[in-house]
Amino acid sequence: QVQVEESGGGSVQSGDSLRLSCAYFARAIRTYGIGWFRQTPGKEREFVASINWNTGYINYVDSVKGRFTISRGNSGNTAHLQMNSLKPEDTAVYYCAVTTSSGGFYYDRTSGYDYWGQGTQVTVSS
């Protein structure tokens, strides 16, 4: 079992920054990457960013390229999403997800991940 916990959400003004953190606890299970997704009411969960531990590949949805940065924490079981130049359309609940798939994974699909956190709210006002 893998426990996943997000933190760092909040309410900010347009143009501000936030840093989300994801802490995951995997006992006897190897993880191969994490992804960040976001969701607003009535919409499907949307891919935001991902990082593959094995290949080092990082991917972003086009709408956040140049503004968001995903990284692995120094402790090895944490990851971060640095969000700069936030816009009102970034408002959503942000979820961290962990994959245990060693054979590659669909980084931009929810089905590519096995364990999810409860989400953290990010609200950006204009």
Side-chain angles (χ1 to χ4, degrees), residues 1 11 15-16 21 46 48 57 69 71 74-75 82 88-89 103 107 113 120:
Q1 191 74 353
S11 296
D16 285 349
S21 295
E46 173 193 34
V48 176
Y57 288 162
T69 303
S71 62
N74 292 330
S75 67
Q82 177 67 41
E89 50 263 44
Y107 63 86
Y113 300 86
T120 184

Side-chain angles (χ1 to χ4, degrees), residues 56-94:
Y57 288 162
I58 290 176
N59 294 280
Y60 299 98
V61 68
D62 286 346
S63 60
V64 307
K65 285 181 180 178
R67 300 189 298 122
F68 290 13
T69 303
I70 189 172
S71 62
R72 191 171 192 176
N74 292 330
S75 67
N77 66 336
T78 57
H80 306 288
L81 184 68
Q82 177 67 41
M83 306 187 296
N84 298 330
S85 302
L86 283 162
K87 304 175 181 180
E89 50 263 44
D90 294 319
T91 295
V93 177
Y94 283 71

